[in-house]
Amino acid sequence: LAQHAGPPDGGWGWMIVAGCFLVTICTRAVTRCISIFFVEFQTYFGQDYARTAWIHSIVDCATMLCAPLGSLISNHVSCQVGIMLGGLLASTGLILSSFATSLEHLYLSLGVLTGLGFALCYSPAIAMVGKYFNKKKALAYGIAMSGSGIGTFILAPVVQLLIEQFSWRGALLILGGFVLNLCVCGALMRPIALKEDHKTAPEFLEQDYVPKAQKRDLKRMSIYSPLIKAWSHECLCYCSWKEYDFLLMPGFMVLAASVLFMAYGCSPLFVYLVPYALSVGVSHHQAAFLMSILGVIDIIGNITFGWLTDRRCLKKHRHFCYLFAVGMDGLCCLFLPVLQNFPLLVPFSFTFGYFDGAYVTLIPVVTADVVGTSSLSSALGVVCFLHAIPYLVSPPVAGWLVDTTGSYAASFLLCGFSMIFSSMLLCFARIAKKIKSTHLRSLTNDTGTKRHIWTNGAIAYSVTAELDRKDVEFLAADTNSYSNR
């Protein structure tokens, strides 16, 4: 591979964007459309809300829980191999689900197997976009992540139509064939070699690891010497740790905590929007159309927020744009229980879909700003992993609240407050960091201020003990001239 000094910001990168776009259609859009099967599964198997909700929870949880495995295969084998393998597993899971005879069968096939396949595809494809783009990163992510919205817009009514024509079994079988397109997406993911990603062991020995006193000795020794081998082994361990040293960064810790609450709040809505609409008298086609609206507006949020946050005026404030979008989605969830008919649910789908697309676009961008491009694949794997437990727990908890209270209000309120808390947590952390940096800067300015230096013959006097380089040079010249005398 030709080594690039930095991301090319174009060229084959746009094919990578197209491939990631298709990956998000086949993974996130298909996952969202599983909620359309919710009522069908509940009716066919005669189960309550909580037990049926585990299907969507498990597929989401498996996708996020196994995301680090996708990053590992991408880093150490190939992104192309990982995505193709994921496509085969996801397709197999959907096809096996069409023969399900119980909810437990669906838990394993549609939940675990399909979720694992999606995990091997999702985070590596997103990370590849970050490797090909820097200046246009947010726009590239906006286009790539809009596949989730476009896919939802197209697939929601199509899946409803497939269920009516071929039953839920036939619809799952057709989706299994559709998801095989992930193998095509994997073929597009041409690897790229960046300087920061390909430091060799000797380079780490030179720059980061070996004490300076031993550098010359190590260079003179043969590459086959036992000492070099020992240092190389220790260096490889050091490099492996370097892949995940971002876990100790305070900025990443706060982002991770924020993601946990955000993931808890956003998942139940995609599971229960269609059942909730049906419960307030909306027809099946109108309920599916709400998902389509949410999906198409999601696209606008992806692209416009991606474009806006690439502008110079907002580029430094991506964190605040992200937390604003998350907070607005939380507010939408708080108002949802009072929206009891189709004309009122349409504006909700518009608003929630727009800000959902906005913050989804900014997740990889904000992560890259925190950890850097070299650790982006591993960091995205961890971020996706953090989604796993909230995605697993929140839909069944919401279903239990619906079964217990007989209303969706408690579930949606809990989701809204969770997302708002996620936004506030990140906001307070950013404000605290800004106050701390301002305080440190003021202390530095106070202690490092250049003071007036005056001389009395050959002796220099200063009100502080700190002298800058010019003062030192002046004193040295003055002392030399005095000694010559």
Side-chain angles (χ1 to χ4, degrees):
L1 293 177
Q3 195 173 74
H4 296 262
D9 274 301
W12 190 258
W14 293 113
M15 293 302 295
I16 299 296
V17 170
C20 187
F21 175 85
L22 292 173
V23 167
T24 55
I25 289 178
C26 294
T27 56
R28 303 312 300 159
V30 170
T31 301
R32 288 181 178 182
C33 289
I34 290 175
S35 65
I36 298 175
F37 291 92
F38 187 94
V39 176
E40 300 295 327
F41 291 152
Q42 188 181 28
T43 303
Y44 185 86
F45 295 108
Q47 300 293 335
D48 58 16
Y49 279 87
R51 283 178 57 84
T52 309
W54 279 106
I55 299 171
H56 195 284
S57 296
I58 294 172
V59 67
D60 258 339
C61 177
T63 301
M64 299 307 173
L65 192 67
C66 300
L69 178 61
S71 298
L72 184 68
I73 294 175
S74 174
N75 291 338
H76 296 282
V77 182
S78 168
C79 181
Q80 294 170 317
V81 171
I83 294 177
M84 288 181 178
L85 177 61
L88 291 174
L89 289 175
S91 177
T92 302
L94 285 164
I95 292 170
L96 291 177
S97 298
S98 66
F99 300 99
T101 56
S102 66
L103 282 183
E104 288 74 16
H105 187 159
L106 288 173
Y107 294 162
L108 293 176
S109 58
L110 186 56
V112 177
L113 191 57
T114 301
L116 175 61
F118 288 165
L120 298 183
C121 302
Y122 188 60
S123 59
I126 295 173
M128 284 295 291
V129 176
K131 289 182 179 294
Y132 271 85
F133 288 89
N134 183 24
K135 295 179 181 177
K136 301 176 183 177
K137 184 182 292 182
L139 177 60
Y141 272 125
I143 296 172
M145 303 298 281
S146 67
S148 176
I150 292 176
T152 306
F153 174 70
I154 297 172
L155 287 179
V158 169
V159 167
Q160 182 62 45
L161 183 63
L162 289 175
I163 291 172
E164 292 176 359
Q165 294 294 322
F166 305 105
S167 80
W168 62 268
R169 295 184 185 276
L172 285 175
L173 190 63
I174 293 170
L175 280 180
F178 172 74
V179 165
L180 275 175
N181 284 293
L182 286 169
C183 296
V184 180
C185 302
L188 294 174
M189 298 296 171
R190 180 188 297 171
I192 183 173
L194 300 177
K195 280 188 176 180
E196 62 183 21
D197 296 333
H198 291 272
K199 283 188 177 180
T200 62
E203 287 174 333
F204 274 106
L205 288 169
E206 270 299 300
Q207 297 177 14
D208 299 322
Y209 197 66
V210 179
K212 293 181 179 179
Q214 299 180 14
K215 284 182 180 178
R216 286 192 300 271
D217 295 334
L218 290 176
K219 284 182 179 179
R220 291 171 186 167
M221 290 184 171
S222 168
I223 190 63
Y224 299 104
S225 77
L227 182 58
I228 288 290
K229 288 183 178 180
W231 277 109
S232 297
H233 176 72
E234 293 183 23
C235 177
L236 290 174
C237 296
Y238 175 73
C239 295
S240 298
W241 164 245
K242 289 279 286 184
E243 288 185 14
Y244 290 94
D245 61 353
F246 61 85
L247 292 172
L248 299 179
M249 296 172 59
F252 184 80
M253 290 181 180
V254 174
L255 179 63
S258 175
V259 164
L260 287 173
F261 288 98
M262 179 272 293
Y264 182 91
C266 71
S267 181
L269 184 118
F270 291 102
V271 180
Y272 292 109
L273 178 60
V274 171
Y276 171 71
L278 294 174
S279 71
V280 295
V282 175
S283 69
H284 283 80
H285 285 286
Q286 287 178 329
F289 186 61
L290 288 175
M291 290 293 292
S292 295
I293 293 172
L294 192 150
V296 74
I297 301 302
D298 194 296
I299 306 165
I300 300 174
N302 285 142
I303 297 175
T304 58
F305 247 64
W307 181 83
L308 285 172
T309 52
D310 269 340
R311 301 306 96 194
R312 185 175 299 177
C313 58
L314 290 178
K315 200 165 188 176
K316 295 181 180 180
H317 305 289
R318 285 167 168 170
H319 279 79
F320 289 102
C321 293
Y322 166 78
L323 64 91
F324 174 75
V326 173
M328 288 301 297
D329 263 0
L331 287 175
C332 290
C333 289
L334 295 183
F335 284 104
L336 183 56
V338 300
L339 308 178
Q340 305 257 330
N341 54 58
F342 182 72
L344 292 177
L345 288 171
V346 169
F348 165 82
S349 293
F350 270 88
T351 309
F352 186 90
Y354 181 80
F355 288 108
D356 178 74
Y359 79 74
V360 166
T361 295
L362 292 180
I363 287 176
V365 177
V366 170
T367 305
D369 289 344
V370 172
V371 304
T373 304
S374 60
S375 300
L376 180 59
S377 180
S378 300
L380 283 175
V382 173
V383 168
C384 291
F385 177 84
L386 292 172
H387 284 70
I389 301 303
Y391 276 8
L392 178 67
V393 172
S394 57
V397 168
W400 176 79
L401 289 173
V402 173
D403 292 330
T404 304
T405 64
S407 170
Y408 289 87
S411 300
F412 292 144
L413 290 176
L414 185 59
C415 293
F417 284 123
S418 180
M419 297 189 78
I420 290 172
F421 180 77
S422 169
S423 177
M424 292 175 63
L425 178 66
L426 195 58
C427 180
F428 289 147
R430 296 292 294 180
I431 292 172
K433 182 179 178 181
K434 189 173 182 180
I435 293 172
K436 183 178 179 181
S437 62
T438 304
H439 179 63
L440 290 175
R441 194 180 300 115
S442 64
L443 289 177
T444 303
N445 291 336
D446 290 341
T447 58
T449 302
K450 178 181 175 182
R451 304 303 178 122
H452 177 68
I453 299 176
W454 55 277
T455 61
N456 181 13
I459 304 174
Y461 297 88
S462 173
V463 295
T464 67
E466 297 181 11
L467 303 176
D468 62 15
R469 186 177 298 174
K470 292 183 179 180
D471 298 327
V472 173
E473 291 174 355
F474 167 74
L475 290 175
D478 196 11
T479 303
N480 289 335
S481 63
Y482 180 79
S483 62
N484 291 334
R485 291 177 188 175

